[in-house]
Structures are given as C-alpha cells and as structure tokens.
C-alpha cells in the first residue's frame, strides 16, 4: 500500500470549472508539498503546508493533520492548468511522493 | 529568480558505464536532494544531503550510487556501473530549510538518463 494516495488519478474538466484533488497519507509528516509537473517533465513547487490553508492566485491548498488529508483546489480552471499535480509528504529528511493526478482542462 | 540547473539535459550511456549527473543548487540553500522518475511512474526519493554528508537515503540508493558536493557549488550524482533499469529522469532539488513553509523546494529541469 502506498504511503501517499491521491485521487482521482485522472481528471478532465471544462474551462472555468472548480477542481479538487485529494491526498491522503498514512505516515507522520512534518509538512506536505503540492507540486506541478508539466508535460516537459519539469517540477514546480506550488505549496508547502504544515497546517491550515494557503492561497496563491486561483490555487488553494488545505491540510488536516489529524485526518492526514490534504486538498488542492483550482478555481476558474484554465487550459494552462493542465499538468500532473503531485502530493509529496516530508518524513524526516525525505519526500514521499504520491502517484500524481493528471488534469486536463479543455476550452 | 535563482534556479537549480542540471546538466546534461539528456545522457545516453551503455550498460556498465559510469555516469555523473551534475546539479548546481541555489547558492544559499543548505539541503540538497536527488529524485528519479522512471517513465510513466511516480517520482521516487533517492538521497538527501546536508552539511556535506548524506542525511537520508532510500533502498534504491545502493552501493552503485554516490553523491558529492566537490566544490561548494556543484552537487553530483554518480552511478558507478549503470543498468538498464537506471534509465529514468533524475531531478535535483534544493531548499534552505525543509521544515519552513517560507522555504519551498526548488527543482531542476531534470536529466534524462538512457541506458542502452
């Protein structure tokens, strides 16, 4: 069983829709990252969370440490949001990655 | 904005050969990492490096792998005798303080290693 589970694995949406990607983990963590991987392979850190909620533009990330769950929301989705979104948890000095959610937003 | 740079972007090597993947982390960062992603699979942790020594490594990081920070700017990953299954995208990353929310993780663009 993966220590970090994401759902859904694949997601398609129409431009403008509200998107939610979920991440559950089974280990004790010090923090959690939401990452974005574009088709070319490059990885960008979107958020690092250890509690509560963070917002950056149209992106919102929340974490519930007690429930070991985090969500990434995208408001007013746009085709340029199409990418793989990866949840990764920090356990001591390493990151454990989820399998990613492939998002495609159509015009 | 400063960035993590990796060279080469693509490396092709024959099985059994040694390869060195190079990374230049962001200059004031203290923690350095190597990850890999086999095609179609999830990203996997290889090793973390702090204060000139390995702080943690995964089961993947066996005796065939080594890391070095030879000159205070470069951070290298060496694979001594490559195997076909080492073919993957290798990402370097760095951060100033991994536990601080104000210190995000910065990734390089990756080196695609192809072992033939």
């Amino acid at each position: 069983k993966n220590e970090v589970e994401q759902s859904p694995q694949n997601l398609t949406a129409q431009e403008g829709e509200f998107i939610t990607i979920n991440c559950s983990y089974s280990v004790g963590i010090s923090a959690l990252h939401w990452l974005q991987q574009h088709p070319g392979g490059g990885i960008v850190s979107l958020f690092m969370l250890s509690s509560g909620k963070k917002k950056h533009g149209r992106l919102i990330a929340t974490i519930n440490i007690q429930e070991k769950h985090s969500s990434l929301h995208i408001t007013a989705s746009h085709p340029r949001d199409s990418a793989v979104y990866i949840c990764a948890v920090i356990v001591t000095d390493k990151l454990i990655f989820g399998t990613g959610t492939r998002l495609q937003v159509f015009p | 904005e400063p960035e993590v740079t990796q060279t080469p972007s693509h490396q092709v090597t024959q099985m059994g050969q040694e390869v060195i993947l190079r990374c230049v982390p962001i200059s004031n960062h203290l923690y350095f990492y190597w990850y890999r992603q086999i095609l179609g699979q999830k990203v996997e942790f290889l090793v973390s490096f702090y204060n000139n020594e390995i702080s943690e490594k995964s089961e993947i990081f066996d005796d065939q792998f080594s890391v070095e920070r030879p000159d205070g700017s470069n951070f290298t990953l060496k694979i001594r005798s490559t195997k076909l299954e080492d073919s993957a995208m290798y990402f370097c990353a760095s951060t100033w303080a991994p536990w601080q929310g104000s210190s995000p993780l910065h990734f390089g663009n990756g080196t695609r290693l192809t072992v033939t």
Side-chain angles (χ1 to χ4, degrees), chain B residues 32-51:
Chain B
F32 315 109
Y33 306 86
W34 282 102
Y35 303 96
R36 79 170 186 191
Q37 186 176 33
I38 295 169
L39 189 64
Q41 297 186 23
K42 69 176 185 175
V43 181
E44 299 172 293
F45 167 80
L46 291 178
V47 66
S48 57
F49 192 86
Y50 169 70
N51 200 25

